[in-house]
Amino acid sequence: MNDIAHNLAQVRDKISAAATRCGRASEEITLLAVSKTKPASAIAEAIAAGHRAFGENYVQEGVDKIRAFREQGNTDLQWHFIGPLQSNKSRLVAEHFDWCHTIDRLRIATRLSDQRPAEMPALNVLIQINISDENSKSGITLSELDALAAEVAALPRLTLRGLMAIPAPESSYERQFAVAQQMAVAFEALKARYDTVDTLSLGMSDDMEAAIAAGSTMVRIGTAIFGARDYTQ
Ligand SMILES: *Cc1c(COP(=O)(O)O)cnc(C)c1O
């Protein structure tokens, strides 16, 4: 087994253990392998190990990878855009990705809906909530959620699937769980109103257990699968 296959198996085991501890089925939790900055060869190893869902943060880098794998005949991969999105890049996301996790204003959502090609299925979107990180400019507050959700749900070429958050780092499990639970409450309320809503994208390497215990359905893991990122190149 190569390193990436081995790491993937370990992360999957951790997810199963966390799910079992809180009485959930591990199938309820999707592992998103965050492949930003990593070469196509690393993604190919994860694909060979049976993985299909990948998260990318940078539009052009993600599009290049999506195109390359599609040209090689890999048509069953799922590509998630998880980075901050500027208006002038929305068309590339609309034309290539399957999901966008970082909807935080109507203007971006409208552009994505307008730009989604007719021959593709609707783009799956998550609304990003700024749940605890006062320094981050990304995401809306929970008080703004109902209004934005209603507008996004009405856009014809988007499917509102749920919520995403990147909580500020917390070292204690109790603090992580408290924040994750606020997200879970908002998610359950949204789910009760929209039957397309089924996804809470929450939990990274350091807070995965607390996120799963609170009700996350998708964890985003990069370093533990692909190793440390090199930003010097
Ligand atoms: C980079 C990133 C991750 C993965 O982070 P790791 O620390 O490498 O596991 C998850 N979510 C988002 C939004 C990211 O940008």
Side-chain angles (χ1 to χ4, degrees), residues 34 36 57 82 164 166 204-205 220-224 229:
V34 178
K36 64 183 177 210
N57 286 56
I82 61 172
M164 177 270 211
I166 309 172
M204 302 176 32
S205 305
R220 307 177 308 261
I221 309 288
T223 309
R229 285 180 291 275

mmCIF file with all atom_site columns, all heavy atoms in Angstrom, residues 34 36 57 82 164 166 204-205 220-224 229, ligand 1:
data_model
loop_
_atom_site.group_PDB
_atom_site.id
_atom_site.type_symbol
_atom_site.label_atom_id
_atom_site.label_alt_id
_atom_site.label_comp_id
_atom_site.label_asym_id
_atom_site.label_entity_id
_atom_site.label_seq_id
_atom_site.pdbx_PDB_ins_code
_atom_site.Cartn_x
_atom_site.Cartn_y
_atom_site.Cartn_z
_atom_site.occupancy
_atom_site.B_iso_or_equiv
_atom_site.pdbx_formal_charge
_atom_site.auth_seq_id
_atom_site.auth_comp_id
_atom_site.auth_asym_id
_atom_site.auth_atom_id
_atom_site.pdbx_PDB_model_num
ATOM   1   N N   . VAL A 1 34  ? -9.019  16.873 0.625  1.00 0.00 ? 34  VAL A N   1
ATOM   2   C CA  . VAL A 1 34  ? -8.651  18.221 0.181  1.00 0.00 ? 34  VAL A CA  1
ATOM   3   C C   . VAL A 1 34  ? -7.280  18.164 -0.497 1.00 0.00 ? 34  VAL A C   1
ATOM   4   O O   . VAL A 1 34  ? -6.258  17.967 0.151  1.00 0.00 ? 34  VAL A O   1
ATOM   5   C CB  . VAL A 1 34  ? -8.659  19.210 1.354  1.00 0.00 ? 34  VAL A CB  1
ATOM   6   C CG1 . VAL A 1 34  ? -8.216  20.592 0.881  1.00 0.00 ? 34  VAL A CG1 1
ATOM   7   C CG2 . VAL A 1 34  ? -10.055 19.282 1.971  1.00 0.00 ? 34  VAL A CG2 1
ATOM   8   N N   . LYS A 1 36  ? -5.808  20.532 -2.541 1.00 0.00 ? 36  LYS A N   1
ATOM   9   C CA  . LYS A 1 36  ? -5.204  21.806 -2.955 1.00 0.00 ? 36  LYS A CA  1
ATOM   10  C C   . LYS A 1 36  ? -3.679  21.749 -2.866 1.00 0.00 ? 36  LYS A C   1
ATOM   11  O O   . LYS A 1 36  ? -3.150  21.177 -1.901 1.00 0.00 ? 36  LYS A O   1
ATOM   12  C CB  . LYS A 1 36  ? -5.738  22.946 -2.096 1.00 0.00 ? 36  LYS A CB  1
ATOM   13  C CG  . LYS A 1 36  ? -5.367  22.825 -0.631 1.00 0.00 ? 36  LYS A CG  1
ATOM   14  C CD  . LYS A 1 36  ? -5.998  23.949 0.192  1.00 0.00 ? 36  LYS A CD  1
ATOM   15  C CE  . LYS A 1 36  ? -5.681  23.790 1.655  1.00 0.00 ? 36  LYS A CE  1
ATOM   16  N NZ  . LYS A 1 36  ? -6.715  24.323 2.537  1.00 0.00 ? 36  LYS A NZ  1
ATOM   17  N N   . ASN A 1 57  ? -9.216  24.560 -3.415 1.00 0.00 ? 57  ASN A N   1
ATOM   18  C CA  . ASN A 1 57  ? -9.411  25.939 -2.940 1.00 0.00 ? 57  ASN A CA  1
ATOM   19  C C   . ASN A 1 57  ? -9.158  27.013 -3.976 1.00 0.00 ? 57  ASN A C   1
ATOM   20  O O   . ASN A 1 57  ? -9.573  28.150 -3.791 1.00 0.00 ? 57  ASN A O   1
ATOM   21  C CB  . ASN A 1 57  ? -8.442  26.253 -1.808 1.00 0.00 ? 57  ASN A CB  1
ATOM   22  C CG  . ASN A 1 57  ? -8.810  25.585 -0.527 1.00 0.00 ? 57  ASN A CG  1
ATOM   23  O OD1 . ASN A 1 57  ? -8.932  24.363 -0.509 1.00 0.00 ? 57  ASN A OD1 1
ATOM   24  N ND2 . ASN A 1 57  ? -9.025  26.360 0.512  1.00 0.00 ? 57  ASN A ND2 1
ATOM   25  N N   . ILE A 1 82  ? -13.926 24.716 -2.401 1.00 0.00 ? 82  ILE A N   1
ATOM   26  C CA  . ILE A 1 82  ? -14.048 25.037 -0.970 1.00 0.00 ? 82  ILE A CA  1
ATOM   27  C C   . ILE A 1 82  ? -13.289 26.306 -0.591 1.00 0.00 ? 82  ILE A C   1
ATOM   28  O O   . ILE A 1 82  ? -13.146 26.618 0.588  1.00 0.00 ? 82  ILE A O   1
ATOM   29  C CB  . ILE A 1 82  ? -13.567 23.859 -0.080 1.00 0.00 ? 82  ILE A CB  1
ATOM   30  C CG1 . ILE A 1 82  ? -12.088 23.528 -0.331 1.00 0.00 ? 82  ILE A CG1 1
ATOM   31  C CG2 . ILE A 1 82  ? -14.422 22.613 -0.330 1.00 0.00 ? 82  ILE A CG2 1
ATOM   32  C CD1 . ILE A 1 82  ? -11.514 22.512 0.656  1.00 0.00 ? 82  ILE A CD1 1
ATOM   33  N N   . MET A 1 164 ? -21.815 25.093 5.477  1.00 0.00 ? 164 MET A N   1
ATOM   34  C CA  . MET A 1 164 ? -20.396 24.823 5.674  1.00 0.00 ? 164 MET A CA  1
ATOM   35  C C   . MET A 1 164 ? -19.851 25.850 6.655  1.00 0.00 ? 164 MET A C   1
ATOM   36  O O   . MET A 1 164 ? -20.334 26.992 6.711  1.00 0.00 ? 164 MET A O   1
ATOM   37  C CB  . MET A 1 164 ? -19.684 24.944 4.328  1.00 0.00 ? 164 MET A CB  1
ATOM   38  C CG  . MET A 1 164 ? -18.180 24.766 4.363  1.00 0.00 ? 164 MET A CG  1
ATOM   39  S SD  . MET A 1 164 ? -17.248 26.294 4.632  1.00 0.00 ? 164 MET A SD  1
ATOM   40  C CE  . MET A 1 164 ? -15.763 25.908 3.714  1.00 0.00 ? 164 MET A CE  1
ATOM   41  N N   . ILE A 1 166 ? -15.889 27.002 8.763  1.00 0.00 ? 166 ILE A N   1
ATOM   42  C CA  . ILE A 1 166 ? -14.491 26.787 9.159  1.00 0.00 ? 166 ILE A CA  1
ATOM   43  C C   . ILE A 1 166 ? -14.333 27.464 10.519 1.00 0.00 ? 166 ILE A C   1
ATOM   44  O O   . ILE A 1 166 ? -13.986 28.643 10.597 1.00 0.00 ? 166 ILE A O   1
ATOM   45  C CB  . ILE A 1 166 ? -13.509 27.429 8.148  1.00 0.00 ? 166 ILE A CB  1
ATOM   46  C CG1 . ILE A 1 166 ? -13.845 27.010 6.712  1.00 0.00 ? 166 ILE A CG1 1
ATOM   47  C CG2 . ILE A 1 166 ? -12.060 27.077 8.511  1.00 0.00 ? 166 ILE A CG2 1
ATOM   48  C CD1 . ILE A 1 166 ? -13.039 27.774 5.641  1.00 0.00 ? 166 ILE A CD1 1
ATOM   49  N N   . MET A 1 204 ? -12.350 19.405 10.359 1.00 0.00 ? 204 MET A N   1
ATOM   50  C CA  . MET A 1 204 ? -11.069 19.237 9.692  1.00 0.00 ? 204 MET A CA  1
ATOM   51  C C   . MET A 1 204 ? -10.233 18.321 10.609 1.00 0.00 ? 204 MET A C   1
ATOM   52  O O   . MET A 1 204 ? -10.773 17.733 11.527 1.00 0.00 ? 204 MET A O   1
ATOM   53  C CB  . MET A 1 204 ? -10.437 20.614 9.451  1.00 0.00 ? 204 MET A CB  1
ATOM   54  C CG  . MET A 1 204 ? -11.378 21.458 8.612  1.00 0.00 ? 204 MET A CG  1
ATOM   55  S SD  . MET A 1 204 ? -10.983 23.187 8.237  1.00 0.00 ? 204 MET A SD  1
ATOM   56  C CE  . MET A 1 204 ? -9.229  23.271 8.136  1.00 0.00 ? 204 MET A CE  1
ATOM   57  N N   . SER A 1 205 ? -8.946  18.219 10.334 1.00 0.00 ? 205 SER A N   1
ATOM   58  C CA  . SER A 1 205 ? -8.138  17.236 11.088 1.00 0.00 ? 205 SER A CA  1
ATOM   59  C C   . SER A 1 205 ? -8.279  17.400 12.603 1.00 0.00 ? 205 SER A C   1
ATOM   60  O O   . SER A 1 205 ? -8.445  16.424 13.324 1.00 0.00 ? 205 SER A O   1
ATOM   61  C CB  . SER A 1 205 ? -6.677  17.369 10.687 1.00 0.00 ? 205 SER A CB  1
ATOM   62  O OG  . SER A 1 205 ? -6.552  17.232 9.299  1.00 0.00 ? 205 SER A OG  1
ATOM   63  N N   . ARG A 1 220 ? -13.615 17.571 5.920  1.00 0.00 ? 220 ARG A N   1
ATOM   64  C CA  . ARG A 1 220 ? -12.665 17.984 4.877  1.00 0.00 ? 220 ARG A CA  1
ATOM   65  C C   . ARG A 1 220 ? -11.246 17.793 5.398  1.00 0.00 ? 220 ARG A C   1
ATOM   66  O O   . ARG A 1 220 ? -10.828 18.507 6.310  1.00 0.00 ? 220 ARG A O   1
ATOM   67  C CB  . ARG A 1 220 ? -12.901 19.456 4.520  1.00 0.00 ? 220 ARG A CB  1
ATOM   68  C CG  . ARG A 1 220 ? -14.351 19.802 4.159  1.00 0.00 ? 220 ARG A CG  1
ATOM   69  C CD  . ARG A 1 220 ? -14.477 21.309 3.889  1.00 0.00 ? 220 ARG A CD  1
ATOM   70  N NE  . ARG A 1 220 ? -13.939 22.106 4.969  1.00 0.00 ? 220 ARG A NE  1
ATOM   71  C CZ  . ARG A 1 220 ? -14.675 22.677 5.929  1.00 0.00 ? 220 ARG A CZ  1
ATOM   72  N NH1 . ARG A 1 220 ? -15.972 22.574 5.931  1.00 0.00 ? 220 ARG A NH1 1
ATOM   73  N NH2 . ARG A 1 220 ? -14.082 23.380 6.885  1.00 0.00 ? 220 ARG A NH2 1
ATOM   74  N N   . ILE A 1 221 ? -10.536 16.840 4.833  1.00 0.00 ? 221 ILE A N   1
ATOM   75  C CA  . ILE A 1 221 ? -9.211  16.480 5.351  1.00 0.00 ? 221 ILE A CA  1
ATOM   76  C C   . ILE A 1 221 ? -8.179  16.545 4.236  1.00 0.00 ? 221 ILE A C   1
ATOM   77  O O   . ILE A 1 221 ? -8.362  15.928 3.178  1.00 0.00 ? 221 ILE A O   1
ATOM   78  C CB  . ILE A 1 221 ? -9.231  15.041 5.936  1.00 0.00 ? 221 ILE A CB  1
ATOM   79  C CG1 . ILE A 1 221 ? -10.388 14.857 6.927  1.00 0.00 ? 221 ILE A CG1 1
ATOM   80  C CG2 . ILE A 1 221 ? -7.875  14.698 6.545  1.00 0.00 ? 221 ILE A CG2 1
ATOM   81  C CD1 . ILE A 1 221 ? -10.234 15.558 8.246  1.00 0.00 ? 221 ILE A CD1 1
ATOM   82  N N   . GLY A 1 222 ? -7.104  17.310 4.460  1.00 0.00 ? 222 GLY A N   1
ATOM   83  C CA  . GLY A 1 222 ? -6.041  17.406 3.466  1.00 0.00 ? 222 GLY A CA  1
ATOM   84  C C   . GLY A 1 222 ? -4.752  16.766 3.924  1.00 0.00 ? 222 GLY A C   1
ATOM   85  O O   . GLY A 1 222 ? -4.341  15.698 3.458  1.00 0.00 ? 222 GLY A O   1
ATOM   86  N N   . THR A 1 223 ? -4.092  17.442 4.878  1.00 0.00 ? 223 THR A N   1
ATOM   87  C CA  . THR A 1 223 ? -2.744  17.044 5.305  1.00 0.00 ? 223 THR A CA  1
ATOM   88  C C   . THR A 1 223 ? -2.665  15.591 5.757  1.00 0.00 ? 223 THR A C   1
ATOM   89  O O   . THR A 1 223 ? -1.695  14.902 5.433  1.00 0.00 ? 223 THR A O   1
ATOM   90  C CB  . THR A 1 223 ? -2.288  17.975 6.453  1.00 0.00 ? 223 THR A CB  1
ATOM   91  O OG1 . THR A 1 223 ? -2.486  19.329 6.019  1.00 0.00 ? 223 THR A OG1 1
ATOM   92  C CG2 . THR A 1 223 ? -0.831  17.775 6.774  1.00 0.00 ? 223 THR A CG2 1
ATOM   93  N N   . ALA A 1 224 ? -3.639  15.105 6.485  1.00 0.00 ? 224 ALA A N   1
ATOM   94  C CA  . ALA A 1 224 ? -3.574  13.732 7.002  1.00 0.00 ? 224 ALA A CA  1
ATOM   95  C C   . ALA A 1 224 ? -3.628  12.700 5.870  1.00 0.00 ? 224 ALA A C   1
ATOM   96  O O   . ALA A 1 224 ? -3.239  11.554 6.057  1.00 0.00 ? 224 ALA A O   1
ATOM   97  C CB  . ALA A 1 224 ? -4.707  13.479 7.999  1.00 0.00 ? 224 ALA A CB  1
ATOM   98  N N   . ARG A 1 229 ? 1.539   20.606 3.028  1.00 0.00 ? 229 ARG A N   1
ATOM   99  C CA  . ARG A 1 229 ? 1.576   21.363 1.767  1.00 0.00 ? 229 ARG A CA  1
ATOM   100 C C   . ARG A 1 229 ? 2.817   22.221 1.695  1.00 0.00 ? 229 ARG A C   1
ATOM   101 O O   . ARG A 1 229 ? 3.291   22.740 2.687  1.00 0.00 ? 229 ARG A O   1
ATOM   102 C CB  . ARG A 1 229 ? 0.320   22.239 1.652  1.00 0.00 ? 229 ARG A CB  1
ATOM   103 C CG  . ARG A 1 229 ? -0.924  21.465 1.305  1.00 0.00 ? 229 ARG A CG  1
ATOM   104 C CD  . ARG A 1 229 ? -2.133  22.361 1.214  1.00 0.00 ? 229 ARG A CD  1
ATOM   105 N NE  . ARG A 1 229 ? -2.540  22.900 2.505  1.00 0.00 ? 229 ARG A NE  1
ATOM   106 C CZ  . ARG A 1 229 ? -3.338  22.267 3.366  1.00 0.00 ? 229 ARG A CZ  1
ATOM   107 N NH1 . ARG A 1 229 ? -3.814  21.086 3.075  1.00 0.00 ? 229 ARG A NH1 1
ATOM   108 N NH2 . ARG A 1 229 ? -3.656  22.833 4.500  1.00 0.00 ? 229 ARG A NH2 1
HETATM 109 C C1  . LIG B 2 .   ? -7.159  23.326 3.415  1.00 0.00 ? 1   LIG B C1  1
HETATM 110 C C2  . LIG B 2 .   ? -8.558  23.145 3.867  1.00 0.00 ? 1   LIG B C2  1
HETATM 111 C C3  . LIG B 2 .   ? -8.945  21.969 4.536  1.00 0.00 ? 1   LIG B C3  1
HETATM 112 C C4  . LIG B 2 .   ? -7.995  20.835 4.887  1.00 0.00 ? 1   LIG B C4  1
HETATM 113 O O1  . LIG B 2 .   ? -7.040  21.255 5.791  1.00 0.00 ? 1   LIG B O1  1
HETATM 114 P P1  . LIG B 2 .   ? -5.927  20.252 6.367  1.00 0.00 ? 1   LIG B P1  1
HETATM 115 O O2  . LIG B 2 .   ? -5.415  20.963 7.544  1.00 0.00 ? 1   LIG B O2  1
HETATM 116 O O3  . LIG B 2 .   ? -4.894  20.066 5.304  1.00 0.00 ? 1   LIG B O3  1
HETATM 117 O O4  . LIG B 2 .   ? -6.582  18.954 6.689  1.00 0.00 ? 1   LIG B O4  1
HETATM 118 C C5  . LIG B 2 .   ? -10.283 21.852 4.886  1.00 0.00 ? 1   LIG B C5  1
HETATM 119 N N1  . LIG B 2 .   ? -11.190 22.813 4.608  1.00 0.00 ? 1   LIG B N1  1
HETATM 120 C C6  . LIG B 2 .   ? -10.843 23.948 3.969  1.00 0.00 ? 1   LIG B C6  1
HETATM 121 C C7  . LIG B 2 .   ? -11.885 24.971 3.689  1.00 0.00 ? 1   LIG B C7  1
HETATM 122 C C8  . LIG B 2 .   ? -9.524  24.146 3.583  1.00 0.00 ? 1   LIG B C8  1
HETATM 123 O O5  . LIG B 2 .   ? -9.197  25.290 2.969  1.00 0.00 ? 1   LIG B O5  1
#
